[in-house]
Amino acid sequence: MRTSKIIATVLLAAMCLPLSAQSEAGLIVGAEAEKKVNKKLSIGIEAEMRTRNNLKTMDRWKFGIGAEYKLTSWLKANAGYNLLNQNFREDIDLKTSGAYNHWRPSYWGIKHRVYASLTGSYKFNNNIKLSLRERWQYTYRPEKTVDRWDFDDEAWEDKVRTAKGKNQLRSRFEISYDKKRGLLTPYASMELYNSWGIEKIRYTVGTDIRLSKQHSVGLFYRFQDMKNVDADDYDPNMHYIGLGYKFKF
């Protein structure tokens, strides 16, 4: 019971953090299913939705498929594909004089993402587990024509957003209390997104709750600290509350 009280206190405190003018709050809700093929190989599918603008705006839908292979007792590899349907934020560009030039409303667009990662872990006798995951991902945004308002002509025009691909390295360090067949698995992690420089850092604290051998749910708080990001990929700092469900069969 002591562990559950600690996790509840941490999550409650995180939820009550004040939002600055440069940050927003969002909700992440996901579900996944995993099938163990043999002792080393498992495959899975997942779906996720995410909001922004203090939970008022739908931000993204994600559907994915992946596989995981246990190389040794302490090292595993996984790879997969995600289809992302993202609500791109509106954009206003200004003239050198500071006057409005163009306004592009928000719009929905597709992204394709592939990834591969290695995760090493070590578990102490007191059930404390440390893990380090290194993930490479490549995200591709196809070309799309969207509407844009021209303030000089006072008319709508077509704006072509050219196709764009991006490589990133994601490094995540995690510490957890992983007791076999325990009800709760509390954890905390820090993840760095690197693309020729740190672009953002994610801090997450939460717990997985084991309902049965096949069913579990997860609850977490995440703060996303934005660093050196292209204007094309702009997001403010984000506070997320997340809820997930996992089914193993």
Side-chain angles (χ1 to χ4, degrees):
M1 291 300 294
R2 185 178 179 184
T3 303
S4 61
K5 289 181 179 179
I6 293 173
I7 293 299
T9 302
V10 171
L11 290 174
L12 181 60
M15 294 172 67
C16 296
L17 285 175
L19 303 181
S20 69
Q22 290 77 34
S23 67
E24 295 180 3
L27 178 67
I28 299 174
V29 178
E32 59 181 299
E34 181 183 285
K35 169 65 176 178
K36 195 168 185 177
V37 180
N38 53 46
K39 290 183 178 181
K40 292 189 174 183
L41 177 64
S42 61
I43 58 175
I45 58 173
E46 64 175 329
E48 180 187 277
M49 59 81 68
R50 190 172 73 183
T51 66
R52 65 171 189 253
N53 191 24
N54 300 331
L55 283 71
K56 293 180 289 188
T57 303
M58 189 64 69
D59 183 51
R60 191 180 78 179
W61 291 91
K62 180 178 79 172
F63 303 94
I65 184 170
E68 181 178 281
Y69 188 81
K70 191 173 184 180
L71 300 171
T72 68
S73 60
W74 58 272
L75 183 65
K76 61 184 179 181
N78 75 336
Y81 164 78
N82 289 325
L83 175 65
L84 310 172
N85 189 18
Q86 183 169 336
N87 185 3
F88 291 92
R89 293 175 182 267
E90 66 176 352
D91 179 70
I92 297 178
D93 64 86
L94 305 176
K95 299 179 181 179
T96 55
S97 63
Y100 288 127
N101 191 22
H102 299 101
W103 170 58
R104 190 202 72 218
S106 61
Y107 73 94
W108 286 91
I110 293 295
K111 284 183 177 181
H112 303 276
R113 175 174 294 166
V114 292
Y115 64 87
S117 61
L118 286 173
T119 304
S121 60
Y122 182 81
K123 188 174 180 179
F124 296 90
N125 292 333
N126 59 0
N127 297 313
I128 297 297
K129 183 178 180 180
L130 304 179
S131 68
L132 176 64
R133 187 190 73 186
E134 294 292 347
R135 169 173 289 182
W136 163 83
Q137 69 178 29
Y138 175 75
T139 306
Y140 178 73
R141 185 195 72 200
E143 180 180 295
K144 187 177 178 69
T145 300
V146 299
D147 291 330
R148 185 175 70 171
W149 179 259
D150 188 303
F151 285 92
D152 289 334
D153 296 338
E154 296 187 348
W156 290 101
E157 62 182 17
D158 289 338
K159 164 65 177 177
V160 178
R161 298 203 75 194
T162 57
K164 180 181 178 181
K166 185 174 185 177
N167 287 285
Q168 281 184 311
L169 179 65
R170 296 169 54 175
S171 304
R172 188 191 70 188
F173 174 74
E174 183 176 281
I175 181 172
S176 63
Y177 181 77
D178 187 14
K179 185 177 181 180
K180 191 174 182 179
R181 290 188 292 273
L183 174 63
L184 300 178
T185 304
Y187 64 89
S189 68
M190 179 178 72
E191 184 174 15
L192 285 73
Y193 282 64
N194 194 332
S195 181
W196 305 107
I198 302 300
E199 295 190 327
K200 60 184 175 183
I201 305 176
R202 283 180 171 177
Y203 303 92
T204 306
V205 58
T207 185
D208 293 326
I209 306 170
R210 185 176 182 268
L211 303 178
S212 68
K213 187 176 180 179
Q214 291 182 303
H215 305 273
S216 64
V217 296
L219 177 66
F220 66 85
Y221 162 76
R222 174 177 296 157
F223 175 64
Q224 183 168 280
D225 185 14
M226 305 302 290
K227 299 295 184 182
N228 304 306
V229 182
D230 295 337
D232 198 39
D233 297 320
Y234 168 77
D235 268 318
N237 294 339
M238 293 294 302
H239 300 265
Y240 287 113
I241 294 297
L243 179 64
Y245 167 74
K246 187 172 185 178
F247 174 68
K248 293 183 178 181
F249 61 98

